[in-house]
Amino acid sequence: MTSLRHRRLVLTGSITGAVIVALDGTVLTVAQPTLQRTLHATFAQVQWTSTGYLIAVASLLVFAGRLGDRYGHQRLFALGILGFGAASAGIGLAPGVGWVIALRIVQGICGALLQPATLGMLRAAYPPDRLGMPLALRTSAIGLAAAAGPLLGGALVAQLGWRAVFFLNVPPALLIGALALAVRVPPPLPSPPSRPLTGLDLPGAGLLGITLVCLVHTLVALPAHGWTTTTTAAVLSAAVAFAAFVHHERRTASPLVPPRVAASKAVASSLAILLAASAALFGTLFVSSYYLQNVRHLDPFQCGLQVLPLPLLMVLSAPASAVLQRRYGPRRTTTTAMALLTLGTLLLSRLDDTSTPLEAGTGFLLLGAGFGTVMVTATAVIVRHAPVDHAGVAGGLQQTAMNIGPTLGVATATMLLTSTPTLRSTLLPLTALAALGALCAATLPAATAQEGNSQPDPATYPQEAASETI
């Protein structure tokens, strides 16, 4: 198999895996009301179909990336996507809501195996200076899934029932998973000497998992219950577990997050940017939906059309951002993108009952252009600054930020909307959060060429890239 064909297969698998996960989340939101009625479930039970998944995936992403670094991203990708498809089929056949919740947790575990591997395979298959466009295509596909998910989910639920949205995942998951198991690429050059396997750092994985479980549970519970004894205890537990995790990582011989990744200023800044950008975006979307339906009196379909500029610009901006980053460097490109995201949030905060659809559309357009660009540029910095043998951990950190950020944004928006029920007072803090992300972007490398210091020797690249398949 040629190197070009190999890369195309890797890119196809990476995009398909990312789209399946993104589509699953969007169609579930549409299906939940019907699921609740059909299974005679309570609202709390239906909420756990989302919360259980989120807790499982967020707490395991970094450890799953570490597993991919040790045992091969192809194996983890195949296991994750086949398990995700099998769990989807099980949910479609589930007799009660308890089974749905349990299988959604299984889906979360499989999603954690799958998501870092989609980035790890790209990092191994493409040279560092050619990673931008594959990441851009992956981001564009996620944007398309986000745009099509509510429409596709609504049509399936209306015509075939809520179970159909889960059966939707099964054929592509099984096909790509089987391909990942079947395809082998012989190395074009003799394989390099095998590197000694380091430990998996199970204590570190456990401490980080406890930290993220407590954090996610707190963020989900705060909007509904506020600061209670339980949420306060969860926050304290997260802080203690994280402090113990940091102490453990500094002392252990085989840390979960390798020192080269943990000490990278570029990686830390990029993670902060993704966290701020995704929190600002999803918090703004959550609040804006209330404005469009309660103030503008739009029905859900009309609301979706009003927001359509966001995913469309996300799709269009992603490929352009790869070119811009190569020309202007990560710092200028990401700072400009975060400025667009900040401006979009600020414009939406100024909407009232006299605002026109053009004004709202402009705000969503800026959000999409900014977020699509940030997704590509910040992710590229993280992946490029991670050595090939730590690409899974880097991918796990990136996916963790992208899972925690939306939860943080929606929780913040909900609490602000409850205490200060105006669009401006709710969105201005989210605007400030996006502006903080823009400040973090100013610390990124000025030029893509500066990232070469953290890459392996190009002479060894074909050997390393050939070891990955899909």
Side-chain angles (χ1 to χ4, degrees), residues 21-340:
V21 173
L23 197 62
D24 181 81
T26 54
V27 298
L28 174 64
T29 303
V30 178
Q32 280 178 329
T34 305
L35 182 153
Q36 181 179 1
R37 291 193 300 270
T38 303
L39 297 181
H40 308 290
T42 64
F43 178 77
Q45 288 174 321
V46 172
Q47 188 180 34
W48 267 98
T49 63
S50 296
T51 303
Y53 174 90
L54 182 60
I55 288 176
V57 71
S59 61
L60 293 173
L61 281 166
V62 178
F63 182 62
R66 185 71 184 87
L67 289 174
D69 289 334
R70 179 167 181 171
Y71 298 110
H73 298 298
Q74 173 205 355
R75 295 179 182 177
L76 268 291
F77 176 84
L79 179 61
I81 199 166
L82 289 173
F84 199 93
S88 296
I91 294 171
L93 299 171
V97 70
W99 280 100
V100 174
I101 295 171
L103 288 170
R104 280 288 288 169
I105 294 173
V106 173
Q107 244 188 355
I109 295 171
C110 295
L113 298 176
L114 162 66
Q115 293 182 62
T118 64
L119 292 174
M121 291 190 300
L122 289 179
R123 173 64 179 85
Y126 286 85
D129 60 346
R130 296 182 61 185
L131 265 174
M133 192 55 68
L135 291 173
L137 294 175
R138 180 179 179 274
T139 300
S140 292
I142 293 173
L144 281 175
L151 299 177
L152 180 60
L156 287 173
V157 172
Q159 298 298 321
L160 302 174
W162 68 269
R163 298 178 187 273
V165 303
F166 291 100
F167 288 129
L168 177 69
N169 296 326
V170 179
L174 295 181
L175 176 62
I176 295 298
L179 185 63
L181 291 176
V183 173
R184 294 291 185 273
V185 180
L189 297 173
S191 299
S194 58
R195 300 173 183 174
L197 293 178
T198 58
L200 287 176
D201 189 17
L202 295 179
L207 289 170
L208 182 60
I210 292 171
T211 301
L212 293 171
V213 166
C214 293
L215 178 61
V216 172
H217 185 271
T218 301
L219 291 175
V220 171
L222 270 178
H225 307 291
W227 286 105
T228 64
T229 303
T230 302
T231 54
T232 301
V235 170
L236 293 175
S237 299
V240 170
F242 184 70
F245 170 73
V246 172
H247 178 74
H248 170 79
E249 292 293 284
R250 290 175 175 175
R251 295 172 62 88
T252 186
S254 303
L256 178 66
V257 181
R260 289 187 64 185
V261 178
S264 171
K265 182 179 178 181
V267 171
S269 297
S270 298
L271 291 173
I273 291 164
L274 289 173
L275 187 70
S278 58
L281 175 75
F282 283 88
T284 300
L285 276 177
F286 179 79
V287 176
S288 299
S289 66
Y290 278 89
Y291 160 78
L292 293 173
Q293 295 186 50
N294 295 343
V295 177
R296 292 278 304 281
H297 305 293
L298 302 181
D299 62 38
F301 181 75
Q302 293 172 322
C303 182
L305 291 178
Q306 180 70 84
V307 179
L308 195 58
L310 192 157
L312 288 179
L313 261 293
M314 183 176 168
V315 170
L316 295 174
S317 65
S321 66
V323 179
L324 292 172
Q325 182 176 206
R326 189 178 301 117
R327 181 171 182 178
Y328 298 107
R331 182 187 301 170
R332 292 173 64 183
T333 304
T334 309
T335 301
T336 302
M338 286 303 302
L340 291 177

Side-chain angles (χ1 to χ4, degrees), residues 335-359:
T335 301
T336 302
M338 286 303 302
L340 291 177
L341 182 62
T342 303
L343 181 59
T345 307
L346 182 62
L347 288 178
L348 291 174
S349 73
R350 299 175 62 85
L351 298 179
D352 54 32
D353 54 357
T354 64
S355 300
T356 65
L358 178 61
E359 292 174 296

